[in-house]
Amino acid sequence: MSEPDRGRLPRVYWGTAIAAGAFAVARFVPLPDVVAASGEILSLTATGRSALGIVMFTAILWALEVFPFPVTALLGAVMLPLFGVMGWTDVIKSGAGSDIVPFLLGIMILSTGVVESGLALRVSKRIVRMAGSDPKRVVLAFLLFSGFCAAWLGNLAVAAILQPIAVAIIVSNGLVPGHSNFGTALSIGCAWGALIGSIATPAGGASNLIAIGFLRNLAGVDLGFTQWMAVGFPAAMLMMAPAWAILIMAFPPEIEELRVDSADADDGECGSEGKSRGAIVANGSPLTAHEIWALVGLGVMLTLWFLSDWLKKAFGMDMPMSLGAIIGAVVYLLPVNGTSSWDVLEHKINWGNLVLVAVGMSLGAGVYDSGAAAWLANAVFGRMAALQPFPRALLLSTAIMLFKLMFSSNTATASIVMPVVLAAINGAAVDPWTFLAPAALASPLAFILVTSAPANLVFHDSECFSVRDMAVVGIPMTIVAAICIAFVCTLVLG
């Protein structure tokens, strides 16, 4: 056994012991009844206590990162039939049989193609040149560009693309990562942009897809692509200016002018592949075949999403978002001239995300159907459904972002939170999407702790900023984000 493995063993032992203890308490210790807003008394059945125990067990293992996230997810899936919460067939149907799984698969294939083809790097370097030499404007440009890309590619992929470029800009201007106000503002801005942009469209992250899946499975609401964008896009845009202002005020750039060609500087983290792609962009050569097909696949997917309502009315053709995503992926993969390789996709795609999403849907269904979600929702959120729209959205989004501090996986957060929030409606005269939207938009947002989002870790690992740096600006940004979400949800959804 290697030294790192031995170092993890104590955490495996005490982390599993804590999780098992929490499961035992939820399963065997009598829990009090809860009075719902309607006056109904909610009691936990033995099945409900088992479901609650399994969620607590998996949540603690996720929070402490005792095992890899997909391993913990599979452990929770196995526990559902073993403790009588739901049958194994139902676990498979509610998880792997969900429409969300092929949706995520199509998105992952296309986002990997955009990155691996060099298209994302080409566009990002063009954005740097357009931003000019003003350091404050460069920070804003990266914030906006990171957000735009994350809306379609996901926050982690965007962070991985921009991190070496940001480091190259910092170093080539004679600044030291971790000891530069400009470098700190630029790096946190890239991370924040990726997080904020991920809420703009359903394609921005797995947590968005989980929220849509629970709406369909538990509340019978089939939310479309444009319906999500009606609240997600304006909420994301509204956060951008305050995010930039907070960063510039907290970390005023110490230099007046940047080198315009600094994005093409050679830094050690880019590697040989990064150098060759950078040379392609610098030389202004035309798009490669791989880039073209990645762009075509992405365009086909977006076109089908935006035209889904028209296709239904004109031709009676159902075009679910998952079908559009798979068609776009197939268009990208079809060329046989070597522009794409399934072998590359097998190594580059994080297949564990599919496991997380599928099992997350199963866990949520088990908690909801057993009555545990209704009991927990009324115990935690109380009479929130009876509040006016703005304070309700403000409190809910704030609570979710604070809850997110415990987890580094957006998927894990959404899997636990979404069914509980939906259960809090409990017969109240509230539209399910109106109630769920603030929680769905808040679940990927992790502005305070470096460990609460993989996109934050990508930039922190390059030592561009400290944990304290992010916490100092993250606290006011969390407040601003909650206000933005509440304002847009109230304005658009009522």
Side-chain angles (χ1 to χ4, degrees):
M1 183 180 295
S2 65
E3 289 300 325
D5 290 336
R6 290 194 184 96
R8 286 189 69 253
L9 279 179
R11 184 170 60 175
V12 170
Y13 292 146
W14 60 258
T16 305
I18 293 173
F23 172 81
V25 169
R27 178 63 183 85
F28 300 109
V29 175
L31 297 173
D33 296 339
V34 173
V35 180
S38 60
E40 179 186 0
I41 298 177
L42 302 176
S43 301
L44 273 177
T45 63
T47 301
R49 289 200 302 272
S50 294
L52 182 61
I54 293 171
V55 168
M56 292 175 64
F57 179 82
T58 53
I60 290 172
L61 292 182
W62 273 331
L64 298 178
E65 299 187 23
V66 175
F67 306 111
F69 288 125
V71 175
T72 297
L74 290 172
L75 182 58
V78 169
M79 292 175 70
L80 288 172
L82 292 181
F83 288 91
V85 175
M86 59 195 308
W88 181 243
T89 301
D90 294 327
V91 172
I92 296 174
K93 286 182 179 178
S94 60
S98 171
D99 185 58
I100 300 305
V101 174
F103 183 107
L104 182 59
L105 177 61
I107 291 295
M108 291 165 70
I109 291 173
L110 283 172
S111 63
T112 302
V114 170
V115 173
E116 288 302 305
S117 68
L119 178 63
L121 187 61
R122 176 189 291 270
V123 175
S124 65
K125 290 195 172 186
R126 181 65 58 86
I127 293 295
V128 172
R129 288 196 178 86
M130 291 172 60
S133 59
D134 184 352
K136 295 179 181 179
R137 194 164 61 185
V138 168
V139 172
L140 178 60
F142 266 81
L143 181 71
L144 293 172
F145 179 64
S146 178
F148 174 79
C149 291
W152 313 103
L153 305 179
N155 57 66
L156 184 56
V158 172
I161 294 168
L162 295 183
Q163 185 265 351
I165 299 176
V167 171
I169 292 174
I170 296 167
V171 173
S172 65
N173 281 278
L175 305 175
V176 180
H179 299 278
S180 162
N181 276 358
F182 168 73
T184 299
L186 179 64
S187 301
I188 296 180
C190 289
W192 279 9
L195 296 176
I196 294 170
S198 69
I199 71 172
T201 76
S207 61
N208 302 350
L209 308 182
I210 286 178
I212 292 173
F214 280 133
L215 268 174
R216 180 188 298 116
N217 298 341
L218 304 183
V221 176
D222 195 2
L223 193 73
F225 186 82
T226 54
Q227 289 173 293
W228 178 287
M229 280 194 69
V231 289
F233 181 78
M237 291 303 298
L238 198 59
M239 293 180 205
M240 289 296 184
W244 176 68
I246 289 172
L247 290 172
I248 294 302
M249 286 189 292
F251 308 107
E254 66 273 40
I255 55 177
E256 296 294 331
E257 188 175 357
L258 296 175
R259 288 175 48 194
V260 178
D261 62 342
S262 56
D264 293 321
D266 180 22
D267 78 297
E269 295 188 50
C270 292
S272 59
E273 185 179 12
K275 295 175 188 176
S276 62
R277 290 178 182 171
I280 291 174
V281 177
N283 294 332
S285 62
L287 293 172
T288 65
H290 196 172
E291 288 174 302
I292 291 173
W293 280 106
L295 194 59
V296 170
L298 193 63
V300 168
M301 178 185 71
L302 297 178
T303 300
L304 292 175
W305 283 349
F306 281 109
L307 295 181
S308 59
D309 291 340
W310 179 78
L311 290 172
K312 177 71 173 178
K313 293 176 183 178
F315 303 103
M317 180 188 301
D318 284 322
M319 183 57 62
M321 287 190 293
S322 60
L323 179 57
I326 292 297
I327 291 176
V330 169
V331 168
Y332 162 66
L333 293 171
L334 276 180
V336 293
N337 57 356
T339 59
S340 59
S341 169
W342 185 257
D343 292 337
V344 173
L345 290 175
E346 284 185 326
H347 289 90
K348 293 294 183 178
I349 287 179
N350 184 358
W351 300 101
N353 278 345
L354 290 176
V355 176
L356 269 175
V357 168
V359 175
M361 297 297 296
S362 298
L363 284 173
V367 173
Y368 192 90
D369 294 340
S370 68
W375 181 89
L376 186 59
N378 282 277
V380 174
F381 298 112
R383 301 176 184 274
M384 192 175 291
L387 294 176
Q388 292 299 311
F390 183 82
R392 181 181 67 213
L394 183 64
L395 289 174
L396 189 56
S397 57
T398 302
I400 299 305
M401 281 188 281
L402 293 177
F403 181 75
K404 178 72 175 71
L405 294 175
M406 296 188 296
F407 298 92
S408 61
S409 169
N410 297 336
T411 308
T413 305
S415 300
I416 295 169
V417 166
M418 297 307 159
V420 174
V421 173
L422 280 173
I425 299 175
N426 195 35
V430 180
D431 174 69
W433 172 231
T434 300
F435 191 80
L436 185 68
L441 297 180
S443 63
L445 302 180
F447 300 114
I448 299 175
L449 293 183
V450 169
T451 55
S452 295
N456 297 343
L457 286 170
V458 168
F459 287 94
H460 181 260
D461 287 346
S462 60
E463 300 181 349
C464 291
F465 56 85
S466 67
V467 173
R468 182 182 180 279
D469 289 335
M470 188 156 204
V472 166
V473 291
I475 293 173
M477 188 59 213
T478 298
I479 298 171
V480 168
I483 294 173
C484 292
I485 290 172
F487 175 77
V488 171
C489 289
T490 303
L491 184 66
V492 176
L493 302 176

PDB file of all heavy atoms in Angstrom, residues 421-445:
ATOM      1  N   VAL A 421     -36.665  20.437  -1.223  1.00  0.00           N
ATOM      2  CA  VAL A 421     -37.290  21.730  -1.510  1.00  0.00           C
ATOM      3  C   VAL A 421     -38.655  21.539  -2.161  1.00  0.00           C
ATOM      4  O   VAL A 421     -39.630  22.216  -1.810  1.00  0.00           O
ATOM      5  CB  VAL A 421     -36.376  22.577  -2.411  1.00  0.00           C
ATOM      6  CG1 VAL A 421     -37.088  23.856  -2.861  1.00  0.00           C
ATOM      7  CG2 VAL A 421     -35.093  22.942  -1.674  1.00  0.00           C
ATOM      8  N   LEU A 422     -38.760  20.607  -3.106  1.00  0.00           N
ATOM      9  CA  LEU A 422     -40.052  20.345  -3.745  1.00  0.00           C
ATOM     10  C   LEU A 422     -41.081  19.862  -2.733  1.00  0.00           C
ATOM     11  O   LEU A 422     -42.256  20.231  -2.800  1.00  0.00           O
ATOM     12  CB  LEU A 422     -39.881  19.311  -4.861  1.00  0.00           C
ATOM     13  CG  LEU A 422     -39.334  19.827  -6.197  1.00  0.00           C
ATOM     14  CD1 LEU A 422     -39.065  18.662  -7.145  1.00  0.00           C
ATOM     15  CD2 LEU A 422     -40.315  20.804  -6.841  1.00  0.00           C
ATOM     16  N   ALA A 423     -40.626  19.043  -1.785  1.00  0.00           N
ATOM     17  CA  ALA A 423     -41.553  18.527  -0.766  1.00  0.00           C
ATOM     18  C   ALA A 423     -42.056  19.627   0.154  1.00  0.00           C
ATOM     19  O   ALA A 423     -43.114  19.495   0.762  1.00  0.00           O
ATOM     20  CB  ALA A 423     -40.866  17.444   0.056  1.00  0.00           C
ATOM     21  N   ALA A 424     -41.310  20.722   0.276  1.00  0.00           N
ATOM     22  CA  ALA A 424     -41.711  21.823   1.168  1.00  0.00           C
ATOM     23  C   ALA A 424     -42.970  22.514   0.674  1.00  0.00           C
ATOM     24  O   ALA A 424     -43.646  23.204   1.446  1.00  0.00           O
ATOM     25  CB  ALA A 424     -40.574  22.835   1.294  1.00  0.00           C
ATOM     26  N   ILE A 425     -43.312  22.348  -0.614  1.00  0.00           N
ATOM     27  CA  ILE A 425     -44.547  22.954  -1.136  1.00  0.00           C
ATOM     28  C   ILE A 425     -45.741  22.373  -0.408  1.00  0.00           C
ATOM     29  O   ILE A 425     -46.633  23.094   0.045  1.00  0.00           O
ATOM     30  CB  ILE A 425     -44.666  22.725  -2.654  1.00  0.00           C
ATOM     31  CG1 ILE A 425     -43.489  23.381  -3.381  1.00  0.00           C
ATOM     32  CG2 ILE A 425     -45.979  23.282  -3.171  1.00  0.00           C
ATOM     33  CD1 ILE A 425     -43.447  23.100  -4.867  1.00  0.00           C
ATOM     34  N   ASN A 426     -45.772  21.042  -0.290  1.00  0.00           N
ATOM     35  CA  ASN A 426     -46.745  20.329   0.536  1.00  0.00           C
ATOM     36  C   ASN A 426     -48.173  20.841   0.365  1.00  0.00           C
ATOM     37  O   ASN A 426     -48.863  21.195   1.329  1.00  0.00           O
ATOM     38  CB  ASN A 426     -46.345  20.409   2.020  1.00  0.00           C
ATOM     39  CG  ASN A 426     -47.093  19.392   2.867  1.00  0.00           C
ATOM     40  OD1 ASN A 426     -47.374  18.294   2.398  1.00  0.00           O
ATOM     41  ND2 ASN A 426     -47.419  19.759   4.097  1.00  0.00           N
ATOM     42  N   GLY A 427     -48.636  20.914  -0.871  1.00  0.00           N
ATOM     43  CA  GLY A 427     -50.017  21.305  -1.111  1.00  0.00           C
ATOM     44  C   GLY A 427     -50.256  22.795  -1.156  1.00  0.00           C
ATOM     45  O   GLY A 427     -51.392  23.232  -1.402  1.00  0.00           O
ATOM     46  N   ALA A 428     -49.229  23.608  -0.914  1.00  0.00           N
ATOM     47  CA  ALA A 428     -49.417  25.061  -0.973  1.00  0.00           C
ATOM     48  C   ALA A 428     -49.678  25.494  -2.416  1.00  0.00           C
ATOM     49  O   ALA A 428     -49.274  24.835  -3.370  1.00  0.00           O
ATOM     50  CB  ALA A 428     -48.188  25.777  -0.423  1.00  0.00           C
ATOM     51  N   ALA A 429     -50.388  26.620  -2.553  1.00  0.00           N
ATOM     52  CA  ALA A 429     -50.733  27.115  -3.887  1.00  0.00           C
ATOM     53  C   ALA A 429     -49.544  27.831  -4.514  1.00  0.00           C
ATOM     54  O   ALA A 429     -49.561  29.038  -4.759  1.00  0.00           O
ATOM     55  CB  ALA A 429     -51.937  28.046  -3.787  1.00  0.00           C
ATOM     56  N   VAL A 430     -48.491  27.069  -4.765  1.00  0.00           N
ATOM     57  CA  VAL A 430     -47.261  27.616  -5.341  1.00  0.00           C
ATOM     58  C   VAL A 430     -46.855  26.757  -6.528  1.00  0.00           C
ATOM     59  O   VAL A 430     -46.848  25.528  -6.440  1.00  0.00           O
ATOM     60  CB  VAL A 430     -46.115  27.633  -4.297  1.00  0.00           C
ATOM     61  CG1 VAL A 430     -44.853  28.214  -4.920  1.00  0.00           C
ATOM     62  CG2 VAL A 430     -46.507  28.429  -3.070  1.00  0.00           C
ATOM     63  N   ASP A 431     -46.536  27.400  -7.640  1.00  0.00           N
ATOM     64  CA  ASP A 431     -46.050  26.664  -8.805  1.00  0.00           C
ATOM     65  C   ASP A 431     -44.717  26.010  -8.466  1.00  0.00           C
ATOM     66  O   ASP A 431     -43.819  26.669  -7.910  1.00  0.00           O
ATOM     67  CB  ASP A 431     -45.865  27.633  -9.976  1.00  0.00           C
ATOM     68  CG  ASP A 431     -45.237  26.959 -11.175  1.00  0.00           C
ATOM     69  OD1 ASP A 431     -45.899  26.114 -11.801  1.00  0.00           O
ATOM     70  OD2 ASP A 431     -44.061  27.275 -11.469  1.00  0.00           O
ATOM     71  N   PRO A 432     -44.536  24.712  -8.767  1.00  0.00           N
ATOM     72  CA  PRO A 432     -43.289  24.016  -8.387  1.00  0.00           C
ATOM     73  C   PRO A 432     -42.026  24.681  -8.915  1.00  0.00           C
ATOM     74  O   PRO A 432     -41.039  24.797  -8.186  1.00  0.00           O
ATOM     75  CB  PRO A 432     -43.484  22.616  -8.982  1.00  0.00           C
ATOM     76  CG  PRO A 432     -44.962  22.428  -9.027  1.00  0.00           C
ATOM     77  CD  PRO A 432     -45.524  23.782  -9.337  1.00  0.00           C
ATOM     78  N   TRP A 433     -42.022  25.127 -10.189  1.00  0.00           N
ATOM     79  CA  TRP A 433     -40.819  25.756 -10.741  1.00  0.00           C
ATOM     80  C   TRP A 433     -40.560  27.108 -10.081  1.00  0.00           C
ATOM     81  O   TRP A 433     -39.423  27.467  -9.801  1.00  0.00           O
ATOM     82  CB  TRP A 433     -40.946  25.914 -12.243  1.00  0.00           C
ATOM     83  CG  TRP A 433     -39.849  26.708 -12.889  1.00  0.00           C
ATOM     84  CD1 TRP A 433     -39.996  27.765 -13.740  1.00  0.00           C
ATOM     85  CD2 TRP A 433     -38.426  26.522 -12.764  1.00  0.00           C
ATOM     86  NE1 TRP A 433     -38.781  28.250 -14.140  1.00  0.00           N
ATOM     87  CE2 TRP A 433     -37.790  27.501 -13.555  1.00  0.00           C
ATOM     88  CE3 TRP A 433     -37.634  25.630 -12.051  1.00  0.00           C
ATOM     89  CZ2 TRP A 433     -36.403  27.622 -13.656  1.00  0.00           C
ATOM     90  CZ3 TRP A 433     -36.239  25.739 -12.143  1.00  0.00           C
ATOM     91  CH2 TRP A 433     -35.644  26.707 -12.930  1.00  0.00           C
ATOM     92  N   THR A 434     -41.615  27.849  -9.789  1.00  0.00           N
ATOM     93  CA  THR A 434     -41.455  29.133  -9.102  1.00  0.00           C
ATOM     94  C   THR A 434     -40.793  28.938  -7.747  1.00  0.00           C
ATOM     95  O   THR A 434     -39.937  29.730  -7.341  1.00  0.00           O
ATOM     96  CB  THR A 434     -42.824  29.813  -8.913  1.00  0.00           C
ATOM     97  OG1 THR A 434     -43.418  30.040 -10.205  1.00  0.00           O
ATOM     98  CG2 THR A 434     -42.690  31.137  -8.189  1.00  0.00           C
ATOM     99  N   PHE A 435     -41.175  27.868  -7.054  1.00  0.00           N
ATOM    100  CA  PHE A 435     -40.611  27.610  -5.730  1.00  0.00           C
ATOM    101  C   PHE A 435     -39.190  27.053  -5.820  1.00  0.00           C
ATOM    102  O   PHE A 435     -38.322  27.406  -5.021  1.00  0.00           O
ATOM    103  CB  PHE A 435     -41.514  26.621  -4.973  1.00  0.00           C
ATOM    104  CG  PHE A 435     -41.178  26.498  -3.518  1.00  0.00           C
ATOM    105  CD1 PHE A 435     -41.612  27.442  -2.603  1.00  0.00           C
ATOM    106  CD2 PHE A 435     -40.419  25.438  -3.054  1.00  0.00           C
ATOM    107  CE1 PHE A 435     -41.301  27.330  -1.252  1.00  0.00           C
ATOM    108  CE2 PHE A 435     -40.106  25.314  -1.717  1.00  0.00           C
ATOM    109  CZ  PHE A 435     -40.555  26.270  -0.814  1.00  0.00           C
ATOM    110  N   LEU A 436     -38.965  26.180  -6.805  1.00  0.00           N
ATOM    111  CA  LEU A 436     -37.676  25.491  -6.898  1.00  0.00           C
ATOM    112  C   LEU A 436     -36.586  26.337  -7.542  1.00  0.00           C
ATOM    113  O   LEU A 436     -35.397  26.155  -7.247  1.00  0.00           O
ATOM    114  CB  LEU A 436     -37.842  24.187  -7.688  1.00  0.00           C
ATOM    115  CG  LEU A 436     -36.606  23.280  -7.788  1.00  0.00           C
ATOM    116  CD1 LEU A 436     -36.262  22.689  -6.421  1.00  0.00           C
ATOM    117  CD2 LEU A 436     -36.816  22.167  -8.798  1.00  0.00           C
ATOM    118  N   ALA A 437     -36.954  27.272  -8.406  1.00  0.00           N
ATOM    119  CA  ALA A 437     -35.972  28.018  -9.201  1.00  0.00           C
ATOM    120  C   ALA A 437     -34.858  28.659  -8.363  1.00  0.00           C
ATOM    121  O   ALA A 437     -33.677  28.524  -8.718  1.00  0.00           O
ATOM    122  CB  ALA A 437     -36.679  29.077 -10.050  1.00  0.00           C
ATOM    123  N   PRO A 438     -35.158  29.360  -7.256  1.00  0.00           N
ATOM    124  CA  PRO A 438     -34.056  29.956  -6.480  1.00  0.00           C
ATOM    125  C   PRO A 438     -33.062  28.920  -5.963  1.00  0.00           C
ATOM    126  O   PRO A 438     -31.846  29.155  -5.970  1.00  0.00           O
ATOM    127  CB  PRO A 438     -34.778  30.657  -5.321  1.00  0.00           C
ATOM    128  CG  PRO A 438     -36.157  30.893  -5.819  1.00  0.00           C
ATOM    129  CD  PRO A 438     -36.471  29.735  -6.703  1.00  0.00           C
ATOM    130  N   ALA A 439     -33.570  27.765  -5.530  1.00  0.00           N
ATOM    131  CA  ALA A 439     -32.670  26.706  -5.047  1.00  0.00           C
ATOM    132  C   ALA A 439     -31.865  26.113  -6.187  1.00  0.00           C
ATOM    133  O   ALA A 439     -30.664  25.831  -6.040  1.00  0.00           O
ATOM    134  CB  ALA A 439     -33.479  25.613  -4.350  1.00  0.00           C
ATOM    135  N   ALA A 440     -32.499  25.917  -7.343  1.00  0.00           N
ATOM    136  CA  ALA A 440     -31.796  25.348  -8.499  1.00  0.00           C
ATOM    137  C   ALA A 440     -30.680  26.274  -8.982  1.00  0.00           C
ATOM    138  O   ALA A 440     -29.578  25.817  -9.323  1.00  0.00           O
ATOM    139  CB  ALA A 440     -32.791  25.087  -9.630  1.00  0.00           C
ATOM    140  N   LEU A 441     -30.944  27.574  -9.010  1.00  0.00           N
ATOM    141  CA  LEU A 441     -29.927  28.521  -9.464  1.00  0.00           C
ATOM    142  C   LEU A 441     -28.809  28.683  -8.445  1.00  0.00           C
ATOM    143  O   LEU A 441     -27.659  28.956  -8.806  1.00  0.00           O
ATOM    144  CB  LEU A 441     -30.571  29.891  -9.736  1.00  0.00           C
ATOM    145  CG  LEU A 441     -31.615  29.945 -10.858  1.00  0.00           C
ATOM    146  CD1 LEU A 441     -32.145  31.363 -11.010  1.00  0.00           C
ATOM    147  CD2 LEU A 441     -31.042  29.451 -12.177  1.00  0.00           C
ATOM    148  N   ALA A 442     -29.120  28.508  -7.168  1.00  0.00           N
ATOM    149  CA  ALA A 442     -28.114  28.718  -6.119  1.00  0.00           C
ATOM    150  C   ALA A 442     -27.208  27.512  -5.899  1.00  0.00           C
ATOM    151  O   ALA A 442     -26.085  27.663  -5.409  1.00  0.00           O
ATOM    152  CB  ALA A 442     -28.808  29.081  -4.796  1.00  0.00           C
ATOM    153  N   SER A 443     -27.662  26.324  -6.257  1.00  0.00           N
ATOM    154  CA  SER A 443     -26.925  25.110  -5.875  1.00  0.00           C
ATOM    155  C   SER A 443     -25.510  25.009  -6.456  1.00  0.00           C
ATOM    156  O   SER A 443     -24.636  24.439  -5.809  1.00  0.00           O
ATOM    157  CB  SER A 443     -27.737  23.860  -6.235  1.00  0.00           C
ATOM    158  OG  SER A 443     -27.943  23.758  -7.623  1.00  0.00           O
ATOM    159  N   PRO A 444     -25.197  25.566  -7.667  1.00  0.00           N
ATOM    160  CA  PRO A 444     -23.796  25.473  -8.137  1.00  0.00           C
ATOM    161  C   PRO A 444     -22.904  26.598  -7.618  1.00  0.00           C
ATOM    162  O   PRO A 444     -21.695  26.568  -7.855  1.00  0.00           O
ATOM    163  CB  PRO A 444     -23.924  25.566  -9.666  1.00  0.00           C
ATOM    164  CG  PRO A 444     -25.371  25.658  -9.974  1.00  0.00           C
ATOM    165  CD  PRO A 444     -26.060  26.082  -8.736  1.00  0.00           C
ATOM    166  N   LEU A 445     -23.477  27.599  -6.959  1.00  0.00           N
ATOM    167  CA  LEU A 445     -22.726  28.808  -6.622  1.00  0.00           C
ATOM    168  C   LEU A 445     -21.964  28.639  -5.312  1.00  0.00           C
ATOM    169  O   LEU A 445     -22.560  28.492  -4.244  1.00  0.00           O
ATOM    170  CB  LEU A 445     -23.665  30.016  -6.534  1.00  0.00           C
ATOM    171  CG  LEU A 445     -24.462  30.307  -7.815  1.00  0.00           C
ATOM    172  CD1 LEU A 445     -25.363  31.520  -7.618  1.00  0.00           C
ATOM    173  CD2 LEU A 445     -23.533  30.512  -9.006  1.00  0.00           C
TER     174      LEU A 445
END
